[in-house]
Amino acid sequence: MTTTRFAPSPTGYIHVGNLRTALMNYLIARKAGGTFILRIDDTDPERSKEEYVDAIKQDMEWLGLHWDRVERQSDRLDRYAEAADKLREMGRFYEAFETPTELDLKRKKQLNMGKPPVYDRAALALSDAEKESLRAERGTGVWRFKLDHERIEWNDGILGDISIDAASVSDPVLIRGDGQVLYTIASVVDDTEMGVTDVVRGSDHVTNTATQIQIISALGGTCPRFAHHSLLTGPQGEALSKRLGTLALRDLREQGVQPMALLSLMARLGSSDPVELRSDMAELIEGFDVARFGAAPTKFDVQDLFPLTAKHLQSLPLADVSEAVADAGVPAELAEPFWAMARENITTLGDLIGWWELCRDGAEPLIADEDRDFIAEAMRLLPEGQLGGESWGTWTAAVKEATGRKGKGLFMPLRKALTGMERGPEMATLLPLLQVIRARG
Ligand code: GLU
């Protein structure tokens, strides 16, 4: 049974970068009829915040990425301690006492000598007495996992065959001096115990995966299938990492981006399939295949979300947007014709307000000097009584007859006079909504 998880640390809001991870894991689980776990990686008590846990859930719900259950790492600390004991008994765990400054110095020396900055395992040579005195002097050390120096290989769902020389990787620290369990061991224990079958995450985790594969096998677990998606860059290929803070899902929501637009883009960006607006989650699930994604960095342009949002909105019936239409101030009896007029002329629902203001208050007319008499004449010819769908046709036919104008010379001055703009909605649908005209008695 396929089980996937999205495992954010609640130290910030979800942004487009981690949305990609969430979505891929979600789609894999749903496509296989499996389980999707929302795992809160909150082993860091200082940086983890409850407000971010709530925000992550809100953002996922907004997108419709519903999880089957939530797991919290802070509830499972005893499981991690047990795994640590096991590794200790096996002789795969050792205590090391270097300070960050000392480690930094070691790294710099190695780099100066043209060597890879890999932890030199000096702590393995410490005698019990030396450890005792270091402990007395510096407190408990960190616990490192002793990698077997062999090649670590896996077939990555996106990157293909990967082979990493374990000797080129530092023995990972799994537990801090203050006892805080770190992500690597917590994640491995969870993935194993929760029966996670597929892990998709960013390619910044490739080295972690190598070490995790050895830890899983030391603990006697079964490795999930791993796939590492490329990282997002800005439209020019520039690193996005620093800007991700401004690309939080809540900011996009605030700007009017629609979930389906965001999901449709993210489910295809960086894959060999074209980006297509999908109408619902079922279509997204149907059309998703992680193997279609490539290793190359993926360019992301936030602007691409707006045409998709506009297209999505255009496809919606009034029922799906009635709240936004009402919030824009449109009276219920005009909601249907108003939406029919506005839907093709908005980028986001926020634009409804402007169109309603135009309907309600009219526009500052745009009338060229040479059109003044023409407009005055036209206004006298406006059909009496309630205007409807056919009024524009009746009216312009009468104006044409009276003034001899036709084509653009007929329609454009009328549009500009009534809307103050050169382009916009179909005049036939807009005219009956213009309250100033309705109210003219
Ligand atoms: N909490 C980790 C992160 O956000 C999870 C990585 C993983 O998927 O294993 O980077």
Side-chain angles (χ1 to χ4, degrees):
M1 155 102 147
T2 299
T3 301
T4 65
R5 84 302 194 274
F6 171 50
S9 305
T11 54
Y13 297 119
I14 309 186
H15 48 66
V16 287
N18 30 47
L19 166 60
R20 206 153 172 242
T21 310
L23 179 61
M24 288 182 175
N25 285 294
Y26 173 86
L27 293 175
I28 288 173
R30 290 293 171 259
K31 192 158 187 174
T35 303
F36 176 62
I37 301 173
L38 172 60
R39 191 182 86 196
I40 306 293
D41 283 6
D42 57 351
T43 55
D44 181 341
E46 272 134 51
R47 296 180 57 225
S48 300
K49 298 257 172 336
E50 218 41 47
E51 63 180 279
Y52 290 127
V53 176
D54 295 341
I56 287 167
K57 289 180 180 172
Q58 266 171 18
D59 289 347
M60 303 263 297
E61 268 163 7
W62 172 62
L63 288 168
L65 300 180
H66 305 298
W67 52 89
D68 297 300
R69 64 177 207 266
V70 180
E71 296 279 0
R72 293 189 68 138
Q73 292 195 325
S74 55
D75 290 340
R76 295 175 42 81
L77 298 178
D78 53 338
R79 310 296 308 143
Y80 313 142
E82 210 171 285
D85 285 342
K86 220 165 147 186
L87 294 173
R88 215 171 271 126
E89 274 158 33
M90 271 182 240
R92 296 296 297 271
F93 229 20
Y94 64 95
E95 202 176 356
F97 297 90
E98 288 89 348
T99 61
T101 321
E102 283 167 351
L103 288 173
D104 207 39
L105 207 65
K106 283 189 191 205
R107 270 195 292 269
K108 284 196 180 120
K109 275 193 194 152
Q110 285 167 315
L111 288 169
N112 278 340
M113 283 157 50
K115 288 192 186 157
V118 178
Y119 177 60
D120 62 6
R121 297 186 155 176
L124 276 180
L126 295 173
S127 67
D128 285 349
E130 284 169 323
K131 282 193 217 165
E132 204 51 63
S133 86
L134 279 165
R135 220 175 272 132
E137 185 193 314
R138 303 183 170 189
T140 317
V142 302
W143 287 90
R144 287 185 183 263
F145 175 75
K146 188 163 168 272
L147 290 167
D148 277 337
H149 281 178
E150 58 189 22
R151 295 203 78 86
I152 305 169
E153 303 190 324
W154 75 92
N155 181 262
D156 194 280
I158 293 175
L159 304 175
D161 285 330
I162 301 278
S163 171
I164 290 180
D165 180 3
S168 70
V169 181
S170 295
D171 288 339
V173 174
L174 303 192
I175 300 190
R176 287 203 327 198
D178 61 4
Q180 189 184 309
V181 171
L182 294 182
Y183 150 76
T184 305
I185 189 166
S187 185
V188 155
V189 170
D190 290 347
D191 287 340
T192 310
E193 293 188 359
M194 294 171 192
V196 171
T197 56
D198 295 78
V199 171
V200 182
R201 55 191 172 200
S203 49
D204 50 338
H205 280 289
V206 166
T207 310
N208 285 339
T209 297
T211 66
Q212 290 182 12
I213 286 173
Q214 278 206 4
I215 303 169
I216 293 172
S217 102
L219 291 171
T222 310
C223 274
R225 283 182 289 272
F226 290 103
H228 295 84
H229 60 73
S230 62
L231 299 184
L232 294 180
T233 71
Q236 258 70 53
E238 71 277 21
L240 207 56
S241 47
K242 293 214 178 60
R243 282 183 32 218
L244 283 173
T246 64
L247 293 170
L249 300 196
R250 46 199 48 222
D251 298 330
L252 300 179
R253 177 161 72 226
E254 195 71 12
Q255 289 168 44
V257 168
Q258 286 284 312
M260 248 4 251
L262 187 52
L263 294 171
S264 299
L265 184 67
M266 284 302 165
R268 284 292 175 80
L269 204 62
S271 83
S272 47
D273 295 317
V275 173
E276 289 163 318
L277 179 70
R278 298 306 183 134
S279 53
D280 57 25
M281 196 61 93
E283 268 188 34
L284 277 176
I285 295 168
E286 172 72 33
F288 180 77
D289 181 0
V290 76
R292 312 278 294 170
F293 285 78
T298 301
K299 289 189 175 140
F300 169 78
D301 188 345
V302 71
Q303 292 311 323
D304 291 343
L305 292 168
F306 293 99
L308 286 169
T309 291
K311 200 167 165 195
H312 171 72
L313 290 174
Q314 256 173 50
S315 74
L316 297 180
L318 173 66
D320 290 357
V321 293
S322 51
E323 204 174 305
V325 170
D327 287 350
V330 182
E333 71 276 12
L334 293 180
E336 195 70 61
F338 175 80
W339 177 242
M341 175 281 293
R343 63 199 279 171
E344 310 224 330
N345 295 281
I346 53 173
T347 304
T348 68
L349 289 173
D351 297 339
L352 290 177
I353 293 178
W355 289 121
W356 175 244
E357 279 170 2
L358 171 69
C359 293
R360 187 191 59 206
D361 305 335
E364 187 60 44
L366 204 59
I367 305 173
D369 279 343
E370 67 271 23
D371 289 331
R372 286 202 182 281
D373 294 345
F374 165 75
I375 293 296
E377 170 79 27
M379 292 321 276
R380 279 193 291 276
L381 293 167
L382 254 176
E384 295 294 319
Q386 186 89 336
L387 298 186
E390 70 307 325
S391 303
W392 173 254
T394 323
W395 182 35
T396 50
V399 177
K400 181 178 176 184
E401 169 95 29
T403 64
R405 289 209 192 195
K406 55 182 194 290
K408 213 174 162 207
L410 168 70
F411 298 116
M412 187 54 89
L414 293 175
R415 173 183 286 283
K416 291 198 312 197
L418 291 174
T419 69
M421 290 176 283
E422 292 195 355
R423 357 187 193 284
E426 281 290 332
M427 288 305 292
T429 53
L430 180 63
L431 185 67
L433 286 159
L434 292 173
Q435 303 301 291
V436 190
I437 290 178
R438 283 167 74 98
R440 89 210 110 111

